[in-house]
Amino acid sequence: MDTALEPHHDGSPLYVSTQHPHLGEAVVMRLRVPRALGELQGVRVRSNPDREPVFAVAQLAASVGGWDWWQAKVTMANRVHGYRWLLRLADGTDMWVNARGVFTTETLDSEDFRLVAADEQPGWVASTVMYQVFPDRFSRSDAGESHPAPEWAVPAAWSDELRLDPPARSTQFYGGDLDGVVERLDHLERLGVTMIYLTPVFPARSNHRYDATSFDMVDPLLGGDEALIRLVEASHARGLKVIGDLTSNHSGDAHEWFTAARGNPAATESDFYYWRDAEHEQYESWLGVPSLPKFNWNSRELRRRFIEGDDSVVARWLKAPYSLDGWRIDVANMTGRHGDDDLNAEVRQTIRRTMVDINPDTILLAESTNDASSDFQGDAWHGAMTYANFTRPLWGWLSEPLADAGGGLGMAMQTIPRYDGWQFYAAHRQFSAGFPWRVRLGNMNALDTHDTPRFLTRALPGTLPVAVGMSVTLPGIPVVWAGDEFGLTGEDGEASRTPIPWHAADAASDTIELYAELIALKREHSALNGGGIRWVHVSADVLAYVREDASQSLLVVAARANVEVELPIETIPTPDAAEQLFGSLDLAAGTDSIRISGSGPAFAVWRTAGVTAE
């Protein structure tokens, strides 16, 4: 299926006059229509102010390179303003263009494009490349060597095998620390990443630290508060940002707030949690795990201490001397939701208001592992740590089928299906459609994370460049889960938390260089940092899309098998002058078509001229 000559619109600057509209502002919209579609009776923008449809008439503004550009003005009426395009063809057929694609029947409001009137997100979000660090398993400094194992821990040497039997899977302690991260910043610079995401650094009774015992200090086993200061200062000196991880859904059962409240209904902290009995002994917890009691966000005092104002936990670690550059929020989808309560919007908006007051140039990401879009409409979260729109479709297309895929990915019945390219495209478009464009640019394009199997565990042979290449060239934030660049594998989230084999860096140099070269594409090309995306070819084994802005167009081809693709000559500007940036596929531009061929699996990128609507 070639989609190269379909009408196209997305939220990028080529198609929308402002990325940060204000209420009442007139926004110029553009639609790109192939001349091959023929004469049109008319074009409209159907938007939905106050949930009542309004049609704005579009005018033909320009004809360039085989494309007509239609233009209309839409007044920003609501904080989330949905819209879609309607084309009437010469034969009277109606064609609708929305965030999911092109249709000949009327489409759903939920699949509209969206403008968002809200505080501006940091300008660097769209160009971010994330590196995820699990502190206990990343690197151990000399100081870390001297830390005695805590009473809850099962001590391990760095070279010891992971133990996956409970409770050792959560208590095996390797002793990685924050000064160990400082010592490896040269490696992160070599990769070219721009932001470190630290999983929790607060004291806890597990190696993952999602069961915090306090939010007021960095775990001494990681080097304490001073070690975090050293890490952030050293990272900032190299141009790297650092974000932390907060559990807004729960604390640990040894947290000072919970221990003060349990069995003590008169305690100030008693309304911080959901209790099942009058004695405050039985309580609600995350998925029934007793070590993770669930917060009750009806509590004004909990909000004051944790998320609201200058003295809150959220604020403290963003301020000097710690100066974190943002937060990733754990289990954000469940936060504030229990029974009749749904306080999720209040919590996330309060967190962001606090962050803006302390430092507006900070990022707020949130975990929501399935269909996340309903919570991600630009009112707080800048992007989602989700698996539905990229990770799971990618695994389906580039992995071996597996009847037991382990935990973390959220696959139905723990299986990895075998997708063809059409299914990848359909799933990716479907789950991306609900996000406003600027939020989509902040979504995490993760091959895997600390909660999932590692991608290479079941990857089809030769497809690592394809997977990493797609993560850096599709809209969103590419994610390197520490150890992926060493070629590590792991059958589930726990097994993927392998201590990094620094002694094997030389042996892994080819994979490390592959990551560095592909990350460089993201960093060096403006079209990959906010430019629009047009899908131009979909088949069982080959996908092709164009990322584009006013200065450049990048044609991207991803294939799990051999490639033989023919595209219309109008697909990209000046195809005869295309410069290959990555890969070994061949591109030949003829009079009427562009031919791409070569053996696969393969990933290739070409650069051509930018797009003009004049």
Side-chain angles (χ1 to χ4, degrees):
M1 177 181 71
D2 284 332
T3 61
L5 295 184
E6 286 187 342
H8 181 74
H9 174 89
D10 57 47
S12 70
L14 285 176
Y15 301 94
V16 179
S17 61
T18 176
Q19 297 297 292
H20 301 284
H22 302 290
L23 286 174
E25 182 175 358
V27 180
V28 177
M29 306 285 192
R30 300 181 189 92
L31 177 72
R32 187 177 183 177
V33 181
R35 294 299 305 274
L37 199 61
E39 295 298 321
L40 302 179
Q41 293 187 31
V43 177
R44 304 287 187 270
V45 179
R46 187 268 198 194
S47 59
N48 212 20
D50 303 328
R51 299 296 178 92
E52 181 66 22
V54 171
F55 290 82
V57 177
Q59 303 293 334
L60 181 62
S63 295
V64 182
W67 296 87
D68 288 339
W69 289 80
W70 291 78
Q71 183 170 297
K73 286 186 178 180
V74 173
T75 300
M76 188 74 183
N78 304 108
R79 290 201 171 273
V80 179
H81 191 111
Y83 66 97
R84 57 188 180 262
W85 293 86
L86 170 62
L87 296 74
R88 180 150 295 168
L89 307 187
D91 64 2
T93 301
D94 285 344
M95 181 176 287
W96 296 87
V97 181
N98 69 4
R100 275 194 69 184
V102 178
F103 302 90
T104 55
T105 58
E106 187 174 358
T107 57
L108 299 172
D109 290 357
S110 61
E111 296 173 350
D112 278 352
F113 299 107
R114 289 171 175 80
L115 288 175
V116 175
D119 291 329
E120 296 186 12
Q121 64 185 23
W124 48 267
V125 169
S127 58
T128 296
V129 180
M130 175 187 288
Y131 190 89
Q132 184 187 2
V133 169
F134 189 88
D136 184 59
R137 309 291 165 83
F138 185 68
S139 183
R140 186 168 61 195
S141 70
D142 289 342
E145 295 278 0
S146 64
H147 288 146
E151 53 84 20
W152 53 261
V154 177
W158 203 254
S159 59
D160 284 356
E161 293 290 325
L162 286 176
R163 288 187 56 182
L164 302 180
D165 54 307
R169 63 192 287 124
S170 295
T171 58
Q172 192 176 21
F173 178 74
Y174 284 88
D177 62 348
L178 298 183
D179 285 317
V181 182
V182 174
E183 293 173 358
R184 303 296 181 178
L185 291 180
D186 284 348
H187 173 74
L188 302 191
E189 276 201 301
R190 175 186 176 187
L191 286 176
V193 301
T194 66
M195 185 173 73
I196 301 168
Y197 153 42
L198 298 169
T199 59
V201 297
F202 302 114
R205 297 195 298 183
S206 68
N207 53 42
H208 54 72
R209 295 185 170 89
Y210 284 100
D211 57 333
T213 61
S214 173
F215 296 120
D216 291 336
M217 62 185 293
V218 173
D219 194 335
L221 296 170
L222 293 175
D225 292 2
E226 293 302 316
L228 180 62
I229 295 170
R230 288 191 291 272
L231 172 58
V232 174
E233 288 181 346
S235 298
H236 285 177
R238 294 171 182 251
L240 297 170
K241 299 186 183 296
V242 183
I243 67 170
D245 199 330
L246 276 180
T247 54
S248 61
N249 180 71
H250 54 263
S251 70
D253 63 346
H255 195 283
E256 54 204 9
W257 298 342
F258 185 76
T259 57
R262 191 172 189 187
N264 185 11
T268 301
E269 297 82 2
S270 66
D271 64 352
F272 290 14
Y273 300 91
Y274 287 100
W275 302 98
R276 295 178 177 175
D277 59 7
E279 295 76 27
H280 287 194
E281 291 290 348
Q282 304 299 315
Y283 53 92
E284 299 294 336
S285 62
W286 176 73
L287 298 182
V289 177
S291 62
L292 303 174
K294 184 175 178 66
F295 285 129
N296 181 347
W297 285 104
N298 287 293
S299 169
R300 303 307 307 179
E301 178 64 12
L302 174 62
R303 296 187 188 198
R304 186 191 68 79
R305 290 194 198 181
F306 199 169
I307 65 173
E308 191 169 33
D310 190 68
D311 295 326
S312 64
V313 171
V314 165
R316 175 183 178 180
W317 301 99
L318 301 181
K319 295 187 294 186
Y322 311 107
S323 303
L324 287 175
D325 298 292
W327 293 109
R328 176 265 191 187
I329 303 298
D330 183 60
V331 199
N333 53 309
M334 298 180 72
T335 294
R337 290 179 169 133
H338 179 69
D340 286 339
D341 289 344
D342 190 345
L343 306 171
N344 191 275
E346 292 182 38
V347 173
R348 66 181 185 249
Q349 291 165 12
T350 301
I351 292 173
R352 186 56 195 161
R353 281 197 302 271
T354 297
M355 294 174 69
V356 168
D357 288 344
I358 299 302
N359 180 5
D361 197 37
T362 50
I363 193 172
L364 181 59
L365 303 176
E367 180 187 30
S368 185
T369 57
N370 296 296
D371 181 5
S373 61
S374 61
D375 289 342
F376 288 75
Q377 293 299 306
D379 63 355
W381 314 129
H382 293 138
M385 181 181 186
T386 184
Y387 302 128
N389 61 317
F390 177 77
T391 313
R392 290 203 289 264
L394 188 85
W395 276 62
W397 189 51
L398 296 180
S399 297
E400 297 283 0
L402 183 65
D404 185 0
L409 275 175
M411 291 285 194
M413 298 187 180
Q414 298 298 306
T415 61
I416 299 173
R418 184 66 181 270
Y419 280 177
D420 59 26
W422 292 290
Q423 290 168 305
F424 171 90
Y425 169 78
H428 176 70
R429 288 293 298 265
Q430 173 175 271
F431 283 105
S432 297
F435 295 99
W437 176 255
R438 76 185 207 189
V439 177
R440 187 176 173 189
L441 296 178
N443 285 347
M444 292 166 58
N445 290 344
L447 302 188
D448 44 33
T449 70
H450 68 302
D451 283 330
T452 75
R454 288 199 186 259
F455 171 74
L456 269 181
T457 310
R458 298 292 170 184
L460 293 170
T463 59
L464 182 63
V466 184
V468 180
M470 293 179 72
S471 77
V472 302
T473 56
L474 286 170
I477 295 177
V479 179
V480 182
W481 158 221
D484 281 352
E485 76 275 28
F486 285 79
L488 299 184
T489 59
E491 293 286 350
D492 64 11
E494 296 289 345
S496 79
R497 301 174 185 181
T498 312
I500 305 302
W502 295 107
H503 65 281
D506 288 343
S509 61
D510 287 349
T511 306
I512 293 171
E513 286 305 314
L514 170 68
Y515 271 85
E517 188 175 358
L518 288 167
I519 288 170
L521 286 177
K522 168 78 171 177
R523 296 194 60 177
E524 295 171 2
H525 293 94
S526 62
L528 300 180
N529 299 302
I533 180 170
R534 277 189 301 122
W535 288 87
V536 298
H537 174 82
V538 179
S539 61
D541 296 320
V542 183
L543 301 169
Y545 47 94
V546 179
R547 297 296 307 277
E548 55 197 358
D549 63 17
S551 64
Q552 60 183 205
S553 300
L554 300 186
L555 173 61
V556 180
V557 176
R560 67 181 186 185
N562 293 340
V563 178
E564 192 66 49
V565 171
E566 184 173 357
L567 300 172
I569 197 69
E570 303 94 337
T571 299
I572 52 176
T574 62
D576 55 336
E579 173 193 0
Q580 189 150 19
L581 302 176
F582 187 89
S584 57
L585 294 177
D586 295 322
L587 182 151
T591 303
D592 300 317
S593 65
I594 304 166
R595 292 182 178 274
I596 302 169
S597 59
S599 59
F603 182 78
V605 182
W606 294 266
R607 177 174 57 195
T608 67
V611 176
T612 178
E614 299 176 354

